[in-house]
Amino acid sequence: MLTRTAIAATCFLVAGTALAEEPLIDRTDDPALRIAINNAHHEMAACVAFYTIGSEGVRRRDPSDQLITTLEQARTKLLTTMLQLHHPDVTQARIAMEFGSQMKRMREDFSNFSLLLLEHAEPCKTIAQDPRGVIERRYLSELAKEQNK
């Protein structure tokens, strides 16, 4: 069964390998970069939850499906990036909130997973392919906002 405990355990396991130094959020005083990090971190949390739910849905249908590995690799890549950006407790909380929200959206019924596919499949694919690019785009957007003030 998919639980928030599984999310917490995943965060804990990846945190040990990802935290060679303090998170980027603590290494910058640049307000635009801090906003970009927080926004990107939130988007990544939605994708980690989406990939977690998706891999469980596929596993229920066919435990040997190679798609499970693909989804879990994308989840791990994003989770590692999230832990480099922000604190483990913030990371865990954001993923747990997204997980709960997405499970509620599909009414705790995997036959309603298409609701999540419509909302998250394409954005998460883009984010998983280039998580650093998401931060860069967010940062440039924040700098543009500052210049227009």
Side-chain angles (χ1 to χ4, degrees):
M1 177 133 217
L2 210 53
T3 65
R4 289 187 176 145
T5 304
I7 299 290
T10 303
C11 286
F12 178 76
L13 291 172
V14 175
T17 59
L19 294 177
E21 54 189 42
E22 67 182 324
L24 182 58
I25 195 81
D26 289 342
R27 291 183 276 136
T28 183
D29 292 327
D30 182 341
L33 182 55
R34 292 180 67 84
I35 291 168
I37 289 168
N38 273 305
N39 289 340
H41 193 259
H42 180 77
E43 289 180 53
M44 290 177 198
C47 294
V48 168
F50 172 70
Y51 288 139
T52 301
I53 294 167
S55 65
E56 178 61 21
V58 173
R59 184 176 285 106
R60 289 178 182 199
R61 188 190 71 224
D62 179 4
S64 64
D65 193 324
Q66 184 59 36
L67 181 57
I68 297 166
T69 302
T70 302
L71 294 171
E72 289 176 349
Q73 287 172 343
R75 177 187 64 202
T76 300
K77 178 181 180 179
L78 288 175
L79 186 54
T80 300
T81 302
M82 290 179 72
L83 290 165
Q84 292 167 348
L85 295 175
H86 226 302
H87 299 277
D89 58 338
V90 174
T91 300
Q92 182 178 339
R94 285 184 174 161
I95 293 169
M97 288 181 352
E98 277 295 329
F99 178 80
S101 174
Q102 290 179 29
M103 289 298 289
K104 183 177 178 181
R105 174 121 167 83
M106 56 182 228
R107 297 174 193 92
E108 307 274 337
D109 183 348
F110 282 90
S111 66
N112 294 326
F113 185 68
S114 58
L115 294 167
L116 300 183
L117 277 173
L118 281 172
E119 187 174 345
H120 297 288
E122 284 304 314
C124 288
K125 181 180 178 183
T126 301
I127 291 167
Q129 288 174 341
D130 186 17
R132 297 288 179 188
V134 174
I135 300 161
E136 290 170 10
R137 287 188 295 279
R138 291 278 179 205
Y139 183 56
L140 292 174
S141 174
E142 288 303 318
L143 289 177
K145 286 179 191 176
E146 284 182 4
Q147 289 177 351
N148 292 330
K149 286 184 182 180

